Amino acid sequence: MAWLAPWSAILPSLVALVVSGASAWACLLCFTSYEERLQICQIFAGLDSPDLGKCEEAFADAFKGLLDTEINYEERGQLHDAFTQMTHSLQEMAAAQGSFRVAFLHAAEKMQKIILQLKEVQACIPPCGLQEVTRRFRCRGCYSKVCDLPLDCPVQDLTVTRGRQAMFSCTVNFQLPKEEITYSWKFAGGLRTQDPTYFRDIPRAQGYLARIRPVQPTHRGTFSCVITHDQRPLARLYFFLNVTGPPPRAETELQVSFREVLRWVPQEAEMVEPWRPSLGELLARPEALTPGNQCLLVALVALASASVTVLVWMFFRWYCSGN
C-alpha cells in the first residue's frame, strides 16, 4: 500500500484545483509548473499532512490579485525569471519551517511590485493594422493578443486636376518593425473599392511613396498599398484618385502645336530651287563673294581672256593668208 502515499498527497491538490478553478491561479499558473507548486507545499506541510490541501488553497488565494493581469509581451521572459526566483525563495522559507500563508502573501505582494515595474502595454491606435508593438500577454488563460483591428484601412479620397501630379504616402500612425518591411502597390481602374478581386499589381511601384505625373483620366480609380513584414501583411491602405477638369492651358497649346506639326506637308517642295546669283548680284552683294565665288570669278575672267586671244589670233592669221 506504499504506492497510495503519493496519491494521498496529489488528490487534495486536484480537488483544490477543481474547486478554485484554473483561472484563479492566474500568472502563477502561467509561469510555474504544477510540480513546482506541489513540491513547495510538500516542504511546507509535509508529504502526508492533512494541511497539504490547505497549503495549495492558500497558494491560489494569495495570487488571485494577479488574475486579470496583462503585461507587455516583450516582458514575458523577465516575468518568467521573476517567478522562477520566487519558487526558489519559497523553497528556502519552507525548509526554514516558516508559515506558508505568510510566505505566499509576501511573495504575491513582491510579484505585484515587479509587474508594475515592467514596460507598459502600448495602447491600440485605430483605425486599422496589425500592431505587433501592442501585443500583450494575459494571465487569465495564459495567451497573447494584439489589437482587434481590421487590416483594411478606410479609403482616402484624392481629387487632382488632369495634367497635375498625384502623390500617395503609404504610412500608418503606429510603429512598424525596423527590418524586413516591404510595400506593394495595386490598382483598380475606374472603381472606388476595397475588393481585392478588382486589383492588379503595379510591378514598378516600390517604396512607401507613389507618384503619378501627369495625371490622366485613365488614372481614375483606387490605388492599394500593402505593408508587409516578413511576408505577413500588417496593413492595407486605399487611395481613390478622382481626375477632374480640362488639361492645363500650356499643355493644350503644346498639343495643338504638335498636331499641326504632324499634319504639315511641304506641298511646294518641288518648286524650291537653289539660288544662282548673276555677276551683277555678286558684285552688288559683297557678302556673296565668298572665297569659293572669288576663285570661280577669276577662272571665268581668265577663260574669257584666253578665248578672246585665240579668236583674235585666228582672225589675224586668216586675214594675212588672204592677202
Side-chain angles (χ1 to χ4, degrees), residues 215-256:
V215 171
Q216 299 299 334
T218 55
H219 296 140
R220 182 182 181 274
T222 305
F223 292 82
S224 171
C225 171
V226 181
I227 305 176
T228 307
H229 172 247
D230 194 19
Q231 300 182 352
R232 184 182 185 185
L234 300 182
R236 286 190 290 261
L237 283 73
Y238 299 90
F239 308 90
F240 175 70
L241 177 62
N242 187 25
V243 183
T244 60
R249 181 178 179 181
E251 179 185 352
T252 304
E253 294 176 355
L254 181 61
Q255 291 176 347
V256 171

Side-chain angles (χ1 to χ4, degrees), residues 147-173:
C147 298
D148 190 14
L149 296 174
L151 284 178
D152 293 332
C153 300
V155 180
Q156 304 179 40
D157 294 291
L158 180 64
T159 301
V160 178
T161 304
R162 176 182 175 181
R164 302 299 181 185
Q165 173 179 286
M167 182 173 293
F168 312 111
S169 178
C170 188
T171 56
V172 291
N173 53 2

